[in-house]
Amino acid sequence: MSKRIAVIGSGYVGTVVAACFAHVGHRVLGVETDARKLAQLRAGKAPFHEPGLDPLLATTCRNGDLTFTGDLPGALRASDIVFVCVGTPPSPDGPPNLSDLAAVAAVIADNLDRHHVIVTKSTVPVGTGRWLTSLIEDRTNGSALAGERFSIVSNPEFLREGNAVQDFLHPDRVVVGSDDADARRLVVEAYRPILEQAIPGDAGHRDPVPLVLTGLATAEMTKYASNSFLATKVSFANEIARLCEFVGADVTEVLAAIGLDARIGGRYLDAGVGWGGSCLGKDLAALVSTASEYGYHPRLLDAVRAVNEGQRQFVVDELLRHLKTLRGARVCVLGLAFKAQTDDLRDSPGLDIAMRLAQRGAFVTAYDPMVAQVPDKPQIRTAGDALSAARGADAVVVATDWPQFLTIDLADMRRAMRADVFFDGRNIFNPNDVQLAGFRYFGIGRPALARSGEGAANRVTAAALSATRSPS
Ligand code: NAD
């Protein structure tokens, strides 16, 4: 049955959640405080790049199922369920900054006019549900007690930017946690079309989506455990890559082989410049911080972070080794977004590597299909295409796994450059092709053996790449 849903915060997550809930038949109010974003959303356009989102916004806004507003109290009064999707950005000392969430809680507390179900979709540390409960109770001087006037539900979001619409409509599972069974049931009702895979416009049959019902703290913990595991897989791949370099093995073949083991699985098992984005680093830091509150030292999680940090510096060190000096070297960085199919620069390995190179005196020009310029970082020049970015360069660094990079005319690129270093930080190129174009090819965990052309696993096609990769 159709529900009236408010989604608070229309960023990378909230906009997708709002558009998808409207698409499956609910009446949705998307709330946003940023006036520039709100104006774009009202015009039916996402304020960021996310494949498949604009058509969904255009249709759902046009037929009135989705409306964007800046009026949170109004949205609260007009809805059965409120999904809170505000940002929880990292703070320097570990736990995320929950000030936006606290501000939302205050407005909710001031505008409770009957029983409200408040769902945290933002990623929040374990215990935040209880903290929200106390915040709201305090703010109303105890006149609104949890269970009577409001209920808190945790519904962590697992979508990946770049594939967010598909991930939300066809999730691997839906997790709904609350200590209030009625509130949990209402949220499950909202997910019914997704759980049953009755998605308008979808052809063919899909199996129902597993539903995991838990208590509040368990749902909160699930999100952190999930992201920590994904980060661990990537760091594991990178550690193996380093060892492959020593022993002369090719990590792309090693990982392809172990990923075929059903107990391991091939996704999130790519060596490269490491994970980035707004989630993995922030969530790992938050979990480590939670552990420290209990006097527990999570050695594995610390190592996962250290390996990831090391990958970014590894690229800089390798360039120094091959170029002999970075001061005055011209470096073309291909890719600034933290991964393909997004324009998100938060904790982007490519941007971080570009900054590290600039700090060492290199002249960096970057090209990214979705990032025209880098705000507040004048050291990083940008170009409108890959060839222009490479003009006069001593080295190319591939930092984002955009499939279109595989269509670059490498011979043209080499001719436009001053020197011949090609550092494939994502292991997406066939080393032979790169060498045939006149470059010295360096990948991550791909030794001289691979450069001589052996190893079918190196032949990555754009289609295979976009189908298999998408670290979030
Ligand atoms: P974001 O910064 O893109 O979006 C947050 C939005 O909330 C912003 O547009 C901001 O203006 C708005 N906002 C802040 N205060 C508000 C208020 N009082 N009322 C209305 N709007 C308000 O962040 P995001 O990437 O969408 O992430 C949101 C949450 O989801 C975070 O906790 C994040 O960890 C989690 N998450 C993100 C992803 C991802 O891939 N980005 C995936 C899963 C979970």
Side-chain angles (χ1 to χ4, degrees):
M1 206 178 61
S2 175
K3 300 265 176 284
R4 298 176 309 159
I5 292 175
V7 178
I8 305 175
S10 304
Y12 285 88
V13 169
T15 309
V16 171
V17 171
C20 289
F21 272 142
H23 179 65
V24 299
H26 300 304
R27 300 279 289 182
V28 182
L29 285 165
V31 185
E32 176 55 53
T33 41
D34 181 315
R36 189 188 54 85
K37 284 187 188 176
L38 187 57
Q40 265 182 275
L41 289 161
R42 281 183 162 153
K45 251 192 94 40
F48 50 85
H49 175 71
E50 183 59 50
L53 183 55
D54 276 346
L56 221 52
L57 283 175
T59 319
T60 50
C61 288
R62 195 174 45 240
N63 63 21
D65 290 331
L66 174 58
T67 310
F68 286 98
T69 172
D71 175 14
L72 172 51
L76 183 70
R77 283 192 294 273
S79 58
D80 307 313
I81 315 176
V82 178
F83 285 86
V84 183
C85 301
V86 295
T88 49
S91 62
D93 49 345
N97 178 341
L98 300 181
S99 54
D100 282 352
L101 188 62
V104 168
V107 179
I108 290 175
D110 293 346
N111 291 279
L112 292 171
D113 61 346
R114 63 205 139 86
H115 184 266
H116 291 265
V117 173
I118 300 151
V119 186
T120 48
K121 209 170 226 327
S122 300
T123 303
V124 291
V126 180
T128 301
R130 193 195 285 182
W131 174 76
L132 271 181
T133 302
S134 299
L135 275 185
I136 295 173
E137 287 179 342
D138 262 20
R139 175 102 183 171
T140 59
N141 292 324
S143 69
L145 287 178
E148 289 173 13
R149 300 282 302 284
F150 70 97
S151 300
I152 304 284
V153 178
S154 167
N155 168 225
E157 182 50 58
F158 301 99
L159 62 75
R160 296 162 298 169
E161 285 176 30
N163 204 52
V165 171
Q166 289 306 311
D167 283 349
F168 191 80
L169 292 174
H170 309 292
D172 290 335
R173 77 306 208 183
V174 170
V175 177
V176 182
S178 180
D179 304 328
D180 175 339
D182 288 340
R184 225 167 40 185
R185 207 168 297 123
L186 192 67
V187 176
V188 171
E189 280 300 303
Y191 270 101
R192 187 67 59 204
I194 291 170
L195 292 168
E196 291 171 359
Q197 285 295 283
I199 311 289
D202 256 20
H205 166 82
R206 286 184 196 247
D207 289 338
V209 172
L211 169 67
V212 183
L213 297 177
T214 71
L216 206 45
T218 301
E220 291 168 341
M221 187 64 185
T222 304
K223 174 64 186 177
Y224 284 102
S226 172
N227 271 0
S228 298
F229 189 75
L230 295 173
T232 303
K233 267 187 111 172
V234 177
S235 281
F236 174 83
N238 281 326
E239 185 125 291
I240 295 296
R242 294 293 193 89
L243 298 178
C244 282
E245 300 230 346
F246 291 131
V247 303
D250 184 330
V251 76
T252 60
E253 294 173 33
V254 171
L255 295 175
I258 69 170
L260 290 171
D261 186 328
R263 294 169 300 176
I264 296 173
R267 292 166 76 190
Y268 280 73
L269 203 59
D270 296 302
V273 292
W275 39 263
S278 67
C279 291
L280 294 190
K282 167 176 77 88
D283 295 351
L284 266 179
L287 195 52
V288 168
S289 163
T290 298
S292 72
E293 287 174 23
Y294 298 85
Y296 181 73
H297 179 202
R299 280 164 296 176
L300 178 62
L301 300 185
D302 272 347
V304 168
R305 295 164 81 194
V307 168
N308 197 61
E309 155 74 19
Q311 287 309 104
R312 298 176 183 193
Q313 189 55 36
F314 176 68
V315 178
V316 176
D317 294 344
E318 285 292 283
L319 279 189
L320 177 64
R321 199 158 71 83
H322 302 308
L323 294 173
K324 307 303 179 200
T325 169
L326 288 175
R327 188 162 303 283
R330 290 191 186 279
V331 181
C332 161
V333 173
L334 290 181
L336 286 170
F338 83 91
K339 65 171 184 172
Q341 311 305 343
T342 182
D343 55 6
D344 197 344
L345 292 176
R346 291 178 288 185
D347 193 23
S348 159
L351 184 53
D352 188 11
I353 289 164
M355 288 299 290
R356 288 175 195 230
L357 290 168
Q359 274 153 15
R360 298 288 294 267
F363 287 57
V364 179
T365 305
Y367 166 66
D368 187 289
M370 280 297 152
V371 182
Q373 51 201 271
V374 186
D376 310 325
K377 301 226 172 358
Q379 313 87 310
I380 312 300
R381 283 179 274 194
T382 51
D385 58 73
L387 271 192
S388 309
R391 194 146 293 128
D394 299 297
V396 174
V397 176
V398 180
T400 308
D401 52 345
W402 282 107
Q404 49 267 60
F405 289 160
L406 296 175
T407 64
I408 292 170
D409 186 323
L410 293 173
D412 272 1
M413 176 172 266
R414 174 66 192 94
R415 276 192 290 275
M417 288 174 56
R418 185 162 69 180
D420 63 352
V421 171
F422 192 102
F423 195 95
D424 182 2
R426 295 285 188 165
N427 285 352
I428 58 175
F429 280 84
N430 179 338
N432 284 330
D433 295 346
V434 180
Q435 290 185 145
L436 278 174
F439 284 102
R440 283 187 289 153
Y441 176 90
F442 305 97
I444 291 187
R446 304 173 102 181
L449 180 69
R451 277 176 234 145
S452 73
E454 297 177 32
N458 295 331
R459 290 180 196 96
V460 182
T461 63
L465 183 71
S466 56
T468 58
R469 299 177 152 237
S470 43
S472 132

